[in-house]
């Protein structure tokens, strides 16, 4: 799960709609959810080894896409995980054997923000410089040949990542909820890889392809539910701004 931000943000209107569910209770281990905040995501990414030439930007409207720094490397979407969405979504979607994208299952409660960050960065590791001594590079190397579920189990055992997540989950504009509080907002990630737009949602079985795309038009693909349930989008792009959207200076 993720959490919204404080007063003054356009995304706040929806981000304050929190719902209770049993999704966290299905997972043994749980973290405090990350706030949907570009500065927090950027600092968290840098702490894990993301090049400081990259950062996240906010996207408040699909009408303002021309103002977004380019190129966009990935999009993190935060939306309210209502009971209707949960019941209508097919968590068996996706191909767990798909090798063209890096995918990790989510087995830690409230870890969707960190899973989304991992998906955004590691699926761009061919073009984004990573600090070889930090988490992103290390996790990619030691899990490259693992299945999505094996990668998730590896995350569960990473005490250093626990510490990083705990630190950045307490940052932001809103008070961090208790670890056992069901804050029903959910992050997922979209990336372009080998000419396809991929949806990467740790709740699902594997990556889901949404058809042809290119690095130049990741933001141009329209999905009705994505616009309808928009809380905020974070993009990995080029041009470091006070941001969540990942980009490169």
């Amino acid at each position: 799960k993720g959490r919204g931000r404080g007063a003054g943000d356009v995304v706040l209107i929806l981000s304050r709609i929190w719902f209770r569910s049993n999704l966290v209770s299905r997972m043994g281990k749980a973290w405090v959810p990350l706030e949907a905040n570009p500065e927090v995501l950027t600092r968290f990414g840098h702490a894990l080894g993301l090049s400081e030439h990259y950062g996240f930007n906010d996207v408040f409207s699909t009408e303002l896409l021309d103002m977004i720094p380019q190129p966009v490397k990935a999009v993190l979407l935060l939306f309210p995980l209502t009971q209707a969405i949960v019941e209508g979504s097919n968590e068996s979607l996706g191909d767990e054997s798909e090798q063209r994208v890096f995918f990790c299952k989510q087995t830690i409660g409230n870890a969707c923000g960190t899973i989304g960050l991992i998906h955004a960065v590691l699926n761009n590791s061919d073009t984004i410089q990573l600090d070889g001594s930090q988490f992103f590079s290390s996790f990619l190397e030691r899990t490259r040949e693992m299945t999505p579920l094996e990668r998730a189990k590896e995350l569960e055992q990473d005490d250093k990542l626990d510490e990083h997540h705990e630190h950045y989950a307490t940052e932001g504009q809103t008070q961090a909820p208790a670890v056992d509080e069901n804050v029903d907002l959910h992050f997922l990630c979209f990336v372009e890889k080998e000419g396809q737009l991929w949806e990467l949602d740790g709740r699902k079985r594997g990556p889901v392809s949404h058809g042809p795309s290119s690095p130049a038009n990741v933001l141009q693909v329209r999905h009705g539910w994505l616009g309808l349930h928009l809380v905020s989008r974070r993009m990995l792009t080029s041009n470091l701004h006070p941001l969540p959207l990942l980009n490169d200076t």
Side-chain angles (χ1 to χ4, degrees), residues 59 61-70 219-220 222 233 235:
V59 180
S61 169
T62 56
E63 304 302 317
L64 302 174
L65 299 184
D66 290 342
M67 300 176 63
I68 300 302
Q70 298 291 329
L219 286 180
Q220 306 307 316
R222 294 289 187 269
R233 293 178 186 177
M235 297 176 208

Side-chain angles (χ1 to χ4, degrees), residues 53-180:
H53 291 293
Y54 290 83
F56 286 89
N57 291 275
D58 261 329
V59 180
F60 296 116
S61 169
T62 56
E63 304 302 317
L64 302 174
L65 299 184
D66 290 342
M67 300 176 63
I68 300 302
Q70 298 291 329
V72 172
K73 294 292 189 178
V75 177
L76 294 185
L77 173 71
L78 180 71
F79 62 98
L81 198 61
T82 65
Q83 196 63 37
I85 292 176
V86 172
E87 293 173 354
S89 66
N90 188 346
E91 294 185 12
S92 66
L93 285 175
D95 181 0
E96 60 187 343
S97 65
E98 176 58 63
Q99 298 296 313
R100 285 176 290 179
V101 292
F102 185 95
F103 181 77
C104 179
K105 287 282 291 179
Q106 180 186 341
T107 57
I108 301 173
N110 294 330
C112 60
T114 297
I115 296 294
L117 181 59
I118 289 171
H119 285 153
V121 173
L122 295 192
N123 279 293
N124 285 285
S125 62
D126 54 338
T127 58
I128 293 178
Q129 182 179 359
L130 302 177
D131 185 333
S133 66
Q134 299 298 328
F135 168 80
F136 283 134
S137 180
S138 171
F139 186 70
L140 178 62
E141 289 305 312
R142 69 179 187 265
T143 65
R144 193 184 297 274
E145 304 301 323
M146 291 184 180
T147 67
L149 185 56
E150 288 171 340
R151 289 168 180 158
K153 297 303 181 184
E154 186 74 11
L155 278 186
E156 289 183 19
Q157 305 302 316
D158 196 313
D159 294 337
K160 191 65 175 176
L161 182 61
D162 279 356
E163 294 174 9
H164 279 300
H165 181 101
E166 181 179 5
H167 174 77
Y168 289 100
T170 60
E171 293 193 355
Q173 299 174 2
T174 61
Q175 182 176 352
V179 69
D180 59 351

Side-chain angles (χ1 to χ4, degrees), residues 216-248:
N217 67 1
V218 173
L219 286 180
Q220 306 307 316
V221 180
R222 294 289 187 269
H223 301 290
W225 70 270
L226 186 140
L228 178 64
H229 299 294
L230 176 68
V231 173
S232 64
R233 293 178 186 177
R234 306 287 182 261
M235 297 176 208
L236 184 52
T237 72
S238 69
N239 298 333
L240 189 59
H241 292 287
L243 343 162
L245 187 73
L246 194 45
N247 55 348
D248 159 31

